[in-house]
Amino acid sequence: MATLLHIDSSVLPGEASSSRSVTAAFRRTWEEQHPAGTVIYRDLAADPVPHITADAWSAGYATPSERTPEQSAAFAVRVKLIEELEQADAVLIGAPMHNFSIPSTLKAWLDSVLLLGRTAGEAPSAQGTPVVVVASRGGSYAPGTPREGFEFVQNYLEAVLKRTLGLDLDFIVPELTMAPRNAAMAELIPLYEASRKRAFEDATAKAKELTARLTA
């Protein structure tokens, strides 16, 4: 049985969030294709993980016998998150753009699971695990657009998830999500609708492909 680690980080609930809507579609397809599988779910907006502290960070570079009680307690939280990542056969992350970057709650999760000598380094413990990131954004930051240089979501996540943690990274990018809410973007609504449709199609297709690959 395959295990999916599903992480949402949008501050908006349910269908009000583009990233949550698309990750939900992916997960529904995953569960339909693999009803005997397991899903580990973390809603980082509703239940944020602690931001990294000196104790949590330094404990990762100390042997268990050297750790203070405070270090041990803080590190136990990190270990639980790391083990969830290591046990997952696939990872699904909702990563909406907040002020040109990822939500701080998602950064806190990444800070906890990135541990040199275990999940990062010469032989990352989750290396090769497929991860699908739904990177929604209110505008467009695609190459050639005026705000191309403001895109710090995909670039950052590629550096951390792919190049540091060694995960097999794929993106779904619903864009122009502010068009229906912003009168100044009204003429972009058809492009938004096309992007949204494509994102749902990609979510369904990628979920089917992954379940087929992992349960073959």
Side-chain angles (χ1 to χ4, degrees), residues 4 26 118 146 160 188 216:
L4 174 69
F26 182 106
R118 183 166 175 174
V160 177
L188 299 175

Side-chain angles (χ1 to χ4, degrees), residues 43-205:
D43 185 336
L44 299 180
D47 186 19
V49 302
H51 282 279
I52 202 79
T53 63
D55 285 331
W57 179 83
S58 59
Y61 299 95
T63 62
S65 61
E66 295 174 329
R67 292 174 189 149
T68 66
E70 292 78 14
Q71 285 178 315
S72 296
F75 193 63
V77 176
R78 293 187 67 188
V79 169
K80 179 174 177 57
L81 299 171
I82 288 169
E83 289 177 344
E84 289 177 353
L85 175 62
E86 292 173 336
Q87 292 164 8
D89 297 292
V91 182
L92 171 66
I93 300 175
M97 178 182 283
H98 285 184
N99 298 317
F100 311 118
S101 186
I102 62 172
S104 65
T105 51
L106 181 55
K107 177 64 163 61
W109 179 82
L110 289 168
D111 286 342
S112 285
V113 300
L114 200 161
L115 179 61
L116 189 63
R118 183 166 175 174
T119 59
E122 293 185 4
S125 56
Q127 186 169 17
T129 302
V131 53
V132 175
V133 175
V134 178
S136 59
R137 61 276 315 276
S140 179
Y141 300 80
T145 61
R147 289 201 168 187
E148 176 184 355
F150 289 78
E151 207 294 317
F152 301 108
V153 173
Q154 288 178 263
N155 290 343
Y156 171 72
L157 291 178
E158 181 170 342
V160 177
L161 296 174
K162 181 178 180 179
R163 300 187 182 280
T164 304
L165 298 179
L167 306 184
D168 182 8
L169 176 61
D170 198 2
F171 283 104
I172 298 173
V173 186
E175 63 177 12
L176 300 168
T177 63
M178 285 298 295
R181 308 177 192 179
N182 186 343
M185 298 176 66
E187 65 180 16
L188 299 175
I189 288 178
L191 293 177
Y192 151 73
E193 291 173 342
S195 177
R196 179 178 172 83
K197 181 175 182 289
R198 187 166 54 249
F200 280 110
E201 291 172 346
D202 286 349
T204 299

Side-chain angles (χ1 to χ4, degrees), residues 4-21:
L4 174 69
L5 174 59
H6 175 187
I7 296 170
D8 278 324
S9 61
S10 173
V11 296
L12 298 177
E15 293 184 1
S17 164
S18 293
S19 64
R20 287 181 187 272
S21 297

